[in-house]
Amino acid sequence: MKNHQGDIILIQPKSGKYDLFIVDKPLGLLYLSRLLEANGYRVNIVDQRIEENTHDRLKKLVEQKPLWIGITAMTGEPIKHALELANFVKLHTHAPVVWGGIHPTILPEQTLQNENVDYVIRGKGERSALYFSEYLLNKRNVKDVPGLTYMDGETICHNPEDNECDWGEMPMVNYELIPIHKYWRIGFEKKIFSIMTSRNCPYKCTFCYNSSLKKSKPWLPDSVSYVKRHLDYIIRKYQPEYLSFIDDNFFVDIDRAYEILSFLDGKIPQMKIGFRGARVSDLLRLDDAFFALLERLNTKHINIGVESGSNKILKIIRKGITVDQIIELNRRFKNYPTIIPLYNFFSGIPQETEEDIRLSTRLILQLIKENPHCQISGYHQYTPYPGNELFEDAVKSGFREPKTLSEWGELRFEDNAQHCPWITKQKRLLLDMIYSTVYFVDNKYETYIANHNHLLKILTPLVKVYRKIATIRLKYHITAFPLDIYAKNIIYMLLYKSR
């Protein structure tokens, strides 16, 4: 470590109800810190999701006169929390506040127009954060800071994004910047450790934020040598019980994925692994040897974006898969009962009809019937991410595009249908019913929700009885007497009380 050059505060805001189920380590901020620490800057990470007295800690930190303060934000409710925190630090310091992350990268000018934002860093932030720090210390010109959006008088300026993709030279991540024991996922082992070995996704699904990041390279993998060094460091120092790969799409390069996973073979025999991002078409390319490797590594979960049971919708959103492929993959997973495929669906785009929704619910029930080990990770309501093709369709169909950063903070992933005028009151009720019912149609409740919560565990017998009713409601689209919606709200309330 070089001589101390200045304090930098990095803030992770709350996400909303998502925080009731999963609070992963703030990898974006941890990775951002690598070059800063290696060059003598002292980094403090403040994570509102796990800290009870965020304001008190922030006040103490800003009293030490930091060089700058960074805040990361995704589209939706996280912006609301980020703005509140930014406003708080603005009251206690004159240090510049820098916003980064997905939403500021997509809408940098609108973000910069907010009074609580002084600068925006777009895209990859490691070198940008270092060069920005050097700029503040008069060691570098502002025009040399990659990905920086800033005001020059009355003009908004955008520096080109950082296109450097050789991550092999990066220093190792310093996980001691956070209290790692406070991060968890509902129903999972306590010693869970997440890692990201690549960024972005090469596919062009029209609903995804990745397709909004037009100026970013489509897929940016860490070098295999760096990933192996990173994995070895995590295993030796922390000995995780569960290792979670949270890449947007881990299986893009099958040979690379196999080499990385082979490195883990035999390292910690009792450790389990999981994958947050996987595509149906990529997983269908895995041969028996690859699946055998996944079994040896105690692979527990693979999250898979299915999105819809309608080929028409899959084509509109440019998913690049068919319903037959989804069914084929699910039947293949049945041969590997120790691996739980978690299928994600969403609904609510302008072109979708009730028949399309019926095809999705029919597919959900078919997947569960043909492979009792699979689970439905969620049936979400469409979120209009700015900057992609489907967002433009939503605006044409009457979606009122938020005009300010604070307006974007009012969107919530669990009830976005209320912002979509093409969704009628009856259809909204249908989507709410499906969103709630999928909590109960498989064994998610026992596996995750009630696993470490005594209050919710007591309700398990009732949930098992209700499962048959929930299945019937899902099958026939019964929206009357929405008991599942009330049950879901009770679960949320009990989860809040247990936190």
Side-chain angles (χ1 to χ4, degrees), residues 59 67-68 74 121 155-156 221 246 261 327 373 387 394 398 451 470:
K59 188 174 180 180
L67 186 62
W68 58 277
M74 289 188 66
I121 288 180
T155 303
I156 296 179
I246 65 168
L261 296 179
I327 295 171
H373 307 293
N451 196 18

Side-chain angles (χ1 to χ4, degrees), residues 297-392:
L297 293 175
N298 299 319
T299 301
K300 186 69 174 176
H301 308 94
I302 301 181
N303 280 270
I304 305 166
V306 167
E307 323 311 357
S308 177
S310 165
N311 280 322
K312 183 193 84 176
I313 298 300
L314 291 174
K315 186 175 181 179
I316 289 173
I317 64 176
R318 296 185 186 173
K319 187 65 184 177
I321 61 174
T322 65
V323 173
D324 286 343
Q325 288 178 312
I326 297 167
I327 295 171
E328 177 188 353
L329 179 64
N330 186 58
R331 289 171 179 170
R332 189 174 184 191
F333 269 116
K334 188 178 179 181
N335 298 323
Y336 305 93
T338 59
I339 303 175
I340 300 175
L342 291 153
Y343 300 119
N344 187 71
F345 288 76
F346 81 92
S347 192
I349 70 171
Q351 301 91 333
E352 186 180 53
T353 65
E354 186 170 342
E355 177 58 25
D356 294 317
I357 298 174
R358 191 172 298 278
L359 288 171
S360 287
T361 54
R362 187 181 302 165
L363 178 60
I364 287 172
L365 295 175
Q366 180 179 350
L367 294 174
I368 295 172
K369 181 179 180 180
E370 293 186 352
N371 181 5
H373 307 293
C374 82
Q375 294 176 359
I376 309 303
S377 62
Y379 190 96
H380 302 295
Q381 295 178 8
Y382 163 60
T383 301
Y385 278 109
N388 59 37
E389 185 177 326
L390 198 55
F391 178 79
E392 295 171 1

Side-chain angles (χ1 to χ4, degrees), residues 124-243:
K124 302 188 301 295
E126 283 90 339
R127 289 174 179 82
S128 302
L130 174 61
Y131 293 175
F132 179 72
S133 302
E134 293 174 348
Y135 154 66
L136 292 179
L137 295 174
N138 298 314
K139 297 179 180 180
R140 190 178 292 272
N141 191 290
V142 68
K143 295 180 180 180
D144 296 331
V145 182
L148 187 70
T149 294
Y150 60 97
M151 296 296 301
D152 184 1
E154 299 297 321
T155 303
I156 296 179
C157 300
H158 304 282
N159 292 346
E161 287 188 28
D162 185 1
N163 290 320
E164 176 61 57
C165 59
D166 178 12
W167 300 97
E169 298 177 359
M170 279 289 168
M172 189 47 59
V173 180
N174 180 12
Y175 292 100
E176 301 306 310
L177 291 173
I178 59 172
I180 59 174
H181 63 282
K182 290 189 177 182
Y183 293 90
W184 59 277
R185 294 183 188 181
I186 191 167
F188 281 63
E189 288 81 355
K190 290 183 179 179
K191 291 182 68 177
I192 186 169
F193 221 96
S194 51
I195 181 174
M196 186 167 54
T197 75
S198 65
R199 308 186 191 199
N200 303 337
C201 175
Y203 299 96
K204 301 297 182 183
C205 303
T206 60
F207 63 91
C208 182
Y209 66 81
N210 272 300
S211 61
S212 300
L213 302 174
K214 297 175 182 178
K215 295 182 180 179
S216 298
K217 292 190 175 182
W219 185 59
L220 296 170
D222 290 354
S223 68
V224 173
S225 61
Y226 182 83
V227 175
K228 289 180 179 179
R229 188 158 60 94
H230 195 173
L231 288 169
D232 186 64
Y233 172 76
I234 291 173
I235 290 170
R236 282 189 295 103
K237 187 162 186 175
Y238 299 103
Q239 297 184 319
E241 296 173 355
Y242 190 105
L243 186 65

Side-chain angles (χ1 to χ4, degrees), residues 335-490:
N335 298 323
Y336 305 93
T338 59
I339 303 175
I340 300 175
L342 291 153
Y343 300 119
N344 187 71
F345 288 76
F346 81 92
S347 192
I349 70 171
Q351 301 91 333
E352 186 180 53
T353 65
E354 186 170 342
E355 177 58 25
D356 294 317
I357 298 174
R358 191 172 298 278
L359 288 171
S360 287
T361 54
R362 187 181 302 165
L363 178 60
I364 287 172
L365 295 175
Q366 180 179 350
L367 294 174
I368 295 172
K369 181 179 180 180
E370 293 186 352
N371 181 5
H373 307 293
C374 82
Q375 294 176 359
I376 309 303
S377 62
Y379 190 96
H380 302 295
Q381 295 178 8
Y382 163 60
T383 301
Y385 278 109
N388 59 37
E389 185 177 326
L390 198 55
F391 178 79
E392 295 171 1
D393 291 343
V395 172
K396 291 177 182 177
S397 299
F399 175 73
R400 190 184 68 82
E401 180 179 359
K403 300 301 182 183
T404 65
L405 188 61
S406 59
E407 286 183 10
W408 279 109
E410 298 304 316
L411 296 181
R412 300 189 303 168
F413 77 88
E414 68 268 19
D415 58 4
N416 283 333
Q418 65 176 312
H419 301 288
C420 302
W422 59 88
I423 297 179
T424 64
K425 183 178 180 179
Q426 182 59 35
K427 191 173 181 180
R428 187 180 307 163
L429 185 61
L430 173 62
L431 295 184
D432 288 342
M433 182 275 291
I434 299 172
Y435 174 82
S436 302
T437 302
V438 295
Y439 277 79
F440 308 102
V441 294
D442 53 32
N443 61 0
K444 280 194 303 297
Y445 187 89
E446 300 95 300
T447 307
Y448 309 113
I449 299 174
N451 196 18
H452 298 295
N453 189 302
H454 297 299
L455 285 173
L456 292 171
K457 190 174 289 186
I458 296 173
L459 300 177
T460 299
L462 292 176
V463 170
K464 290 183 177 179
V465 172
Y466 184 71
R467 181 163 295 140
K468 295 183 179 180
I469 299 174
T471 300
I472 292 173
R473 289 173 61 79
L474 190 65
K475 181 177 181 179
Y476 296 105
H477 285 194
I478 299 173
T479 57
F481 307 106
L483 298 178
D484 29 61
I485 296 178
Y486 299 136
K488 181 259 296 180
N489 291 336
I490 290 173

Side-chain angles (χ1 to χ4, degrees), residues 238-277:
Y238 299 103
Q239 297 184 319
E241 296 173 355
Y242 190 105
L243 186 65
S244 177
F245 292 87
I246 65 168
D247 304 45
D248 285 331
N249 192 344
F250 181 80
F251 298 94
V252 174
D253 184 333
I254 299 300
D255 292 336
R256 173 184 181 273
Y258 192 86
E259 183 177 355
I260 290 171
L261 296 179
S262 295
F263 175 77
L264 291 174
D265 202 359
K267 290 284 185 184
I268 304 184
Q270 70 274 21
M271 183 178 70
K272 299 175 182 178
I273 66 172
F275 303 89
R276 185 187 69 176

